[in-house]
Amino acid sequence: MIPIGPSRRNTWRVSADAAELMRPALQERRVDVAARPKRVAFDLARTAFIVIDMQNDFCHRDGWLASIGVDVEPARAPIAPLTALLPVLRGAGVPVVWVNWGSRPDRLNLSPALLHVYNGSGTGTGLGDALPATGSPVLQGGSWSAQVVDELAPDPRDIRVDKHRMSGFWDTPLDSILRNLRIETLLFAGVNLDQCVLHTLADANFAGFDTLLVEDCAATTNPRFCHDATILNIHQIFGFTLQSPDLAKAIAP
């Protein structure tokens, strides 16, 4: 019998005259960790780590947000804890998925309403427009603007998904990828917490995934009350929040 499937986690075994539809058993790997509003335990074997929008245009001092006067230092705050946590997750075999803005050069996957959000006057620098300092097109797939910041350069084993909405699930292969990996639990990180992180986390929860935010690995450039309201909503509606040192200790004590 020959294995056939999109990943080692999700394979049949087939021959010319038979097919075995039983997937490989995934040995449970229980992780018990301090969290809010209560302690949680989950199966690391069915968990993926989603990092959202840690890109030059949001986090680099020469990127798009900085060019329009936004203080990007809050968006850079997750870099240090992510640098420490990512090797622990990779070492434990947890898939790392980078979900980033990556619009088409012709902008045919962007609606007028979405373009208006980032260029309300029509005269500013919005999605796909060239940055004055670097000439890189804002959040265009394959550009410097859309790259993950150098400090967090993805590993070749990591998975990349381009999005062009606040949510990483709309019109992307993210859901299919996670289900082909037989994932049930999602850990979230990235920026902006109250925008793309929250909307992706909410859609994941609505789709039936268990959702947890790694709080110190997520941030927003918006006022503090936006952060606080997002954490409140996660606790009340979507799941749990935890801290990366507690997670790392639980995974690799």
Side-chain angles (χ1 to χ4, degrees):
M1 302 290 280
I2 298 173
I4 185 171
S7 73
R8 288 182 298 175
R9 294 165 167 254
N10 188 18
T11 59
W12 292 354
R13 292 177 62 83
V14 301
S15 67
D17 55 4
E20 297 177 354
L21 311 188
M22 298 80 71
R23 274 75 169 175
L26 298 179
Q27 183 176 355
E28 182 180 291
R29 299 167 62 196
R30 179 188 174 98
V31 170
D32 193 312
V33 62
R36 296 194 296 157
K38 62 177 70 174
R39 192 172 190 88
V40 296
F42 59 90
D43 185 358
L44 199 66
R46 294 184 177 272
T47 298
F49 188 55
I50 309 294
V51 189
I52 297 175
D53 291 354
M54 293 299 296
Q55 300 168 265
N56 286 327
D57 265 353
F58 295 122
C59 305
H60 197 285
R61 297 181 182 97
D62 293 327
W64 176 43
L65 287 191
S67 77
I68 59 176
V70 175
D71 179 8
V72 299
E73 293 310 307
R76 296 182 59 79
I79 292 176
L82 280 169
T83 300
L85 180 61
L86 284 166
V88 176
L89 293 168
R90 293 184 183 117
V94 176
V96 175
V97 186
W98 299 87
V99 180
N100 293 329
W101 279 91
S103 303
R104 288 169 55 99
D106 58 16
R107 293 185 266 204
L108 285 176
N109 53 359
L110 304 175
S111 68
L114 188 59
L115 290 167
H116 177 263
V117 170
Y118 297 105
N119 189 2
S121 68
T123 61
T125 303
L127 294 171
D129 296 326
L131 288 173
T134 66
S136 181
V138 171
L139 294 175
Q140 181 175 297
S143 70
W144 175 89
S145 291
Q147 289 177 5
V148 173
V149 291
D150 287 344
E151 297 93 330
L152 297 175
D155 187 276
R157 297 167 292 177
D158 295 346
I159 300 162
R160 303 186 191 208
V161 175
D162 282 344
K163 66 179 176 67
H164 44 274
R165 297 288 187 274
M166 293 289 182
S167 170
F169 280 91
W170 279 92
D171 198 22
T172 78
L174 179 58
D175 186 79
S176 295
I177 289 169
L178 295 173
R179 297 195 189 279
N180 274 314
L181 290 170
R182 300 172 67 192
I183 296 298
E184 296 176 352
T185 300
L186 297 177
L187 301 165
F188 283 89
V191 295
N192 272 315
L193 170 61
D194 52 324
Q195 296 179 352
C196 293
V197 177
L198 174 61
H199 289 298
T200 306
L201 184 152
D203 277 347
N205 190 271
F206 297 151
F209 294 99
D210 303 326
T211 50
L212 301 91
L213 175 75
V214 186
E215 193 170 343
D216 59 321
C217 291
T220 182
T221 55
N222 289 321
R224 178 70 190 188
F225 67 81
C226 297
H227 169 277
D228 293 345
T230 302
I231 298 300
L232 176 65
N233 276 324
I234 291 173
H235 289 166
Q236 288 192 338
I237 305 171
F238 302 121
F240 311 90
T241 64
L242 47 82
Q243 299 293 323
S244 64
D246 294 330
L247 178 60
K249 182 178 179 181
I251 293 173

